[in-house]
Amino acid sequence: SFVAGLVGSTTDRMIIDLVLRLAGSLGMRVTAEGVDSEEKLALLAALGCEYAQGFHLAMPMGEHECTHWLRERAHLSAHASN
């Protein structure tokens, strides 16, 4: 995974940047997988990656737990914008 080496590898960072730019030029969106730290999430955001998933954001969960998790975040987000 290029995301795994994002922090320590200039080559992996360049590959991720290239993939993001290629996807953008094709009108596609990219979801980075395996994001397990705030540092990786911040680097991906700085490169223009809008979507990510991984243990840093949430552990695997079932349908009901996921629904609750999403509703809770939507509620927090709504209050943060007020």
Side-chain angles (χ1 to χ4, degrees):
S1 164
F2 300 116
V3 172
L6 176 63
V7 174
S9 171
T10 303
T11 301
D12 285 355
R13 192 172 305 156
M14 288 171 46
I15 291 170
I16 291 170
D17 181 52
L18 179 63
V19 168
L20 289 167
R21 288 189 290 130
L22 176 62
S25 71
L26 296 172
M28 301 172 74
R29 293 187 172 130
V30 173
T31 300
E33 295 181 311
V35 178
D36 58 7
S37 72
E38 180 63 33
E39 186 175 15
K40 288 178 185 175
L41 185 62
L43 285 169
L44 288 162
L47 290 170
C49 185
E50 297 177 329
Y51 304 99
Q53 69 91 36
F55 291 150
H56 175 67
L57 302 167
M59 299 300 286
M61 60 186 86
E63 176 184 354
H64 296 292
E65 188 179 9
C66 182
T67 301
H68 174 75
W69 186 85
L70 289 169
R71 284 186 179 145
E72 183 178 278
R73 267 130 199 92
H75 178 74
L76 292 173
S77 178
H79 285 287
S81 63
N82 291 334

